[in-house]
Amino acid sequence: MIWSNCGSCLCSALRMRLGPTGGGWVPHHFGPDVGLWTVLVERNPPTSLDLLVSSRLVSCPLSPPMERREMEMEMEMEMEVVMEKKVERLLNRVSLVFAAIATIALLHLFSHSSLSCAPAPLPTAHRAHGRSQPQNPKPAPSSPRSSCDAASREVLTPDKRFAKLRSSHSWRRRADAYAALFASLRSPTLLSNASHVLCVSAGAGHEVAALQESGVSDVTGVDLVDFPPLVRRADPHNLPFFDDVFDIAFSAGLAGALFPTRFVAELERTVRRGGAVVLAVDRPSSAQEAEGIKALFRRSSLLEARNTTMLGSEMTLFIMKNNGKKRS
């Protein structure tokens, strides 16, 4: 296969290599009179690249280096466009597959889920012989397995829920412990049936129930989370009561207060002059710790510090009398 071309094009032809297998474009014959180069293709049979280059050389003279580079860049861009189209088609097919899987899954869920919570029919044997369901059915699971299970359960009113809680052994045991504690505080000047009592950080209302069961009719319980009908929602650091409205304020929640000074100040504010503030805290480990608790009170003086045991825990009662004026 022979091509004729100019000398500048020959340099480009000589620089081309068709791979490490040997062969390529080599000079074959030079005619000085005619001014022609003859070039031989040593590949047998010629490859597709040989045919491509041959067609380019036969149709026109070889381009200068810059034009040849532009032609190569155009070919690379065409290949990139082809690859992008192939990738796009592949992604479209993958998307269609996933969409089909999701559609099949939804259809499966709809076909196997009940749209109503009607009870399941009796087995054929029971209907034929007129039998009812077994008398000892399996107990219901602790948590519902479906929306139908949840809908079939009885919804307890707050009163029923509270009555169920009060009948539990743990709740009753804690309320009895508070009842014994308040019995030790009974006196005409400190706690009586006519006293107006405030219980702060009352939790589930054990102390409120204990006071009501002992005969105290006017008892108010507050906490950050309400527990009707015994406990109302209120912030212990900002009580929603006027000054001097209670005869005695009780709390066992000083340890959980974010701001103990503000907590105690609110207790003192709501208790009338001559009334009492009673704190139940874990027994102090030292005299300095006890003095730190007494120092929180700015309007009250210590009446009594009494050690006691409640529910197996060693506690100390600080009984403070409200003097009505801040100490300097």
Side-chain angles (χ1 to χ4, degrees):
M1 194 176 299
I2 300 173
W3 296 274
S4 63
N5 215 322
C6 60
S8 63
C9 298
L10 175 64
C11 296
S12 300
L14 292 176
R15 284 195 295 267
M16 295 182 64
R17 293 291 182 266
L18 300 181
T21 59
W25 301 93
V26 297
H28 181 66
H29 178 73
F30 174 66
D33 297 332
V34 184
L36 298 176
W37 285 88
T38 57
V39 182
L40 174 65
V41 177
E42 290 187 350
R43 290 186 183 275
N44 189 21
T47 63
S48 58
L49 183 58
D50 296 337
L51 300 176
L52 175 63
V53 175
S54 65
S55 62
R56 295 293 176 90
L57 292 174
V58 170
S59 62
C60 63
L62 283 178
S63 304
M66 291 298 296
E67 295 181 359
R68 185 178 183 82
R69 179 60 180 167
E70 292 178 358
M71 182 177 62
E72 294 176 353
M73 292 178 62
E74 291 179 0
M75 295 177 63
E76 291 178 358
M77 293 177 63
E78 291 177 359
M79 294 180 63
E80 290 179 358
V81 171
V82 172
M83 290 298 297
E84 289 179 357
K85 290 182 178 180
K86 290 183 177 180
V87 172
E88 184 177 357
R89 286 197 296 269
L90 177 62
L91 293 177
N92 289 336
R93 292 175 182 175
V94 172
S95 300
L96 290 175
V97 170
F98 279 108
I101 293 174
T103 303
I104 294 173
L106 288 175
L107 292 176
H108 177 76
L109 290 176
F110 279 116
S111 62
H112 288 77
S113 61
S114 175
L115 298 180
S116 63
C117 294
L122 293 175
T124 307
H126 289 282
R127 292 198 303 266
H129 299 282
R131 298 176 185 174
S132 59
Q133 291 285 357
Q135 295 182 358
N136 297 322
K138 295 175 63 177
S142 58
S143 58
R145 296 179 179 178
S146 66
S147 58
C148 290
D149 291 343
S152 62
R153 294 192 172 191
E154 180 185 1
V155 179
L156 297 178
T157 62
D159 293 338
K160 287 185 178 181
R161 186 165 59 248
F162 176 64
K164 184 177 180 180
L165 178 62
R166 292 186 68 170
S167 63
S168 64
H169 176 72
S170 59
W171 197 94
R172 188 68 263 168
R173 181 168 171 264
R174 191 172 183 84
D176 292 341
Y178 277 108
L181 184 142
F182 292 130
S184 65
L185 298 177
R186 283 278 186 168
S187 69
T189 58
L190 186 62
L191 177 62
S192 64
N193 290 345
S195 299
H196 302 283
V197 183
L198 172 65
C199 297
V200 179
S201 297
H206 304 92
E207 52 264 61
V208 178
L211 286 167
Q212 290 177 347
E213 292 172 359
S214 67
V216 181
S217 58
D218 190 351
V219 185
T220 302
V222 296
D223 206 337
L224 288 173
V225 179
D226 60 343
F227 189 83
L230 298 178
V231 181
R232 299 164 50 187
R233 182 181 303 171
D235 184 3
H237 302 86
N238 187 22
L239 295 173
F241 305 113
F242 293 111
D243 299 350
D244 309 327
V245 294
F246 294 103
D247 299 313
I248 182 173
F250 172 83
S251 179
L254 178 64
L258 295 176
F259 307 100
T261 303
R262 179 67 178 171
F263 184 89
V264 172
E266 283 294 282
L267 292 176
E268 290 184 300
R269 180 184 66 80
T270 57
V271 173
R272 64 173 176 81
R273 182 177 182 179
V277 177
V278 180
L279 287 183
V281 299
D282 293 333
R283 187 170 299 177
S285 58
S286 62
Q288 289 79 5
E289 186 177 353
E291 290 296 329
I293 295 175
K294 289 190 294 184
L296 296 174
F297 292 87
R298 305 300 303 273
R299 299 183 179 183
S300 306
S301 58
L302 180 65
L303 282 179
E304 183 182 358
R306 178 188 306 174
N307 292 330
T308 185
T309 302
M310 188 173 68
L311 298 174
S313 300
E314 295 182 346
M315 310 286 290
T316 298
L317 291 180
F318 285 90
I319 305 173
M320 311 294 295
K321 181 180 179 181
N322 191 342
N323 298 320
K325 294 182 179 179
K326 289 186 178 182
R327 292 180 294 175
S328 57

